[in-house]
Amino acid sequence: MANITKAFSPLPLYLCQIGSKRSSIKVSCRSSNRWNFQEDLLKETSHLQTSYDRDGFNSTKFGLLVKDVKYALRTQINNNNNLVLVDTLQRMGIEHHFQQEIQSILQKEYEQNTFILKYQNHHDISLCFRLLRQEGYHVSADVFKKFKNNDDGTFGLNLNQDVNGLIGLYEASKLGVEGEYILDEIAKFSGDHLNACLANSDEARIIKETLKYPYHKSLSRWKNKSFNNNFKGINGWGKNTLKELANMDYFITKEIHQHELAQVFRWELSAMMDLPEYMRSLYKALYNTINSIGYNIYKIYGQNPTQNLQNTWAHLCSAFLIEAKWFACGMVPTTDEYLKNGLVSSGVYVALIHLFYILGLGVSSMHLQDISLMSTSIAKILRLWDDLGSAKDENQEGKDGSYVEYYMKENKDSSMELAREHVIKLIEDEWKQLNKEHFCLMSQSTRSFSKASLNSARMVSLMYSYDDKQSLPILQEYIKSMLDGNL
């Protein structure tokens, strides 16, 4: 796998850019204030060296820390705190070192099917429900019905004291699928009351972050820093062990991302000054990359997907041309036409089909149709979220297209606020469909693909979190943290 990883290393971050009609231009433009850190980035990555060697990484100590945590997981520390430990490992971004132990714990919880009686408070049941669901276990949302007070719909919470219970319910509600109305009720109930707690709670910062970036819909690696800084241990255990392990793992991961960033930015930034030359350079780079990827996959798995990869890129370019024709001719597509083409031009399917073959699934029982449903949901989330940002000026002068814009033209009585609410509802519905597809693909052979695909949807909110100045401060902060930040 080493050869193919090396050949393919620019793809993850590069493909994150092609989904945005704006960022593909902004990244290449030196004068853009949104990407004014680009020259510093180039300087930082021009002489990369191994961060964890430079900072005194000790592989022996790392191994001992992993061993300590594995022992804690196997002995299920402090009674029911094994689930808290699993959640902590995931939020710290180090759960990949303990997959066997985590699966053993969750499998036991699922097989015993006793957590409805075993856990009595809202937080514990919500945590167990969320951990099992996100790993593909079928757990009925009816477990929450015992809390619901049909008279006032309060779900039996002391709203003045149980902020953790509200947070737990809110986080659990994000793993719902279509038709699970109890989770819709929980989402509204917990969301409304958490918003009401913002003014008076000591945990206002945590509440605000939960509401804006719930765990299931967020990129965990980006949320690690905040969690690690505030981690106090689990009933007196693990504070130093887990923090030190997370820091050491962070330096390893940081090195990988640094090399990816360096390769993404060896691209010629001045190519846009000469369009014909730029097009030739782009074609050559794309042609060589696709053939290199196909060849490496063939060496490893005995299957050459080059033709399929080329066809996928051809479809993407065709979708770009359709959009260019609309804008050049002043055509106004319907919202359905725009979104149907936008699912292709988002670039999501291009990214996922490469992932499909790299993981060797082309020679498995999994079919391309299986990824098409998941990619459709992710692409719709990306395109609609992106268009929420373009609903404001963003200096596009009406040449970029937006679902919000076309929706308002089709619905003359709709205000900008109503149009945005409609788009947000569409995104929420698509997350439910994505959850459903994710659960279906969480078998042993497709687990990695499903998780990686879900992460691409989680990346969307990070990529398109525009501020009032139409900049992307959160994305800039995340990239910079990969270069010089610490946990």
Side-chain angles (χ1 to χ4, degrees), residues 366-430:
M366 189 180 183
H367 301 289
L368 287 176
Q369 184 179 0
D370 296 326
I371 73 170
S372 136
L373 294 173
M374 182 168 258
S375 69
T376 295
S377 293
I378 298 170
K380 191 174 291 187
I381 290 169
L382 187 152
R383 177 54 67 229
L384 292 173
W385 195 296
D386 186 11
D387 286 352
L388 282 176
S390 68
K392 299 179 180 179
D393 176 27
E394 214 183 352
N395 297 321
Q396 293 298 314
E397 300 178 351
K399 298 179 181 179
D400 196 27
S402 166
Y403 184 92
V404 176
E405 174 190 345
Y406 299 140
Y407 179 82
M408 291 178 67
K409 288 181 177 180
E410 284 184 5
N411 300 269
K412 303 295 185 182
D413 297 331
S414 178
S415 64
M416 174 66 76
E417 183 179 359
L418 289 176
R420 289 176 62 83
E421 287 179 0
H422 172 72
V423 171
I424 291 171
K425 176 63 165 57
L426 290 179
I427 293 173
E428 287 293 324
D429 290 343
E430 213 54 48

Side-chain angles (χ1 to χ4, degrees), residues 268-287:
E268 178 55 54
L269 300 182
S270 62
M272 288 191 68
M273 302 301 294
D274 187 349
L275 183 59
E277 181 64 27
Y278 168 74
M279 292 301 294
R280 289 196 294 269
S281 298
L282 177 61
Y283 178 82
K284 182 180 179 181
L286 185 59
Y287 179 86

Side-chain angles (χ1 to χ4, degrees), residues 260-328:
E260 287 182 347
L261 285 167
Q263 293 184 56
V264 169
F265 287 99
R266 290 180 194 120
W267 287 85
E268 178 55 54
L269 300 182
S270 62
M272 288 191 68
M273 302 301 294
D274 187 349
L275 183 59
E277 181 64 27
Y278 168 74
M279 292 301 294
R280 289 196 294 269
S281 298
L282 177 61
Y283 178 82
K284 182 180 179 181
L286 185 59
Y287 179 86
N288 290 339
T289 299
I290 292 174
N291 280 278
S292 176
I293 293 169
Y295 177 64
N296 279 288
I297 292 174
Y298 174 75
K299 286 196 299 183
I300 295 173
Y301 302 113
Q303 180 188 41
N304 189 348
T306 303
Q307 188 61 56
N308 280 350
L309 298 180
Q310 290 176 347
N311 291 341
T312 304
W313 278 98
H315 288 311
L316 177 65
C317 293
S318 295
F320 289 158
L321 289 174
I322 290 174
E323 291 178 347
K325 180 180 178 181
W326 287 341
F327 306 141

Side-chain angles (χ1 to χ4, degrees), residues 444-473:
Q444 195 61 38
S445 61
T446 56
R447 182 180 299 272
S448 295
F449 175 84
S450 185
K451 286 188 173 182
S453 300
L454 195 63
N455 277 337
S456 66
R458 290 165 170 160
M459 186 71 183
V460 171
S461 61
L462 192 63
M463 292 168 60
Y464 301 120
S465 292
Y466 297 101
D467 61 12
D468 293 337
K469 298 179 181 179
Q470 289 301 298
S471 295
L472 296 167

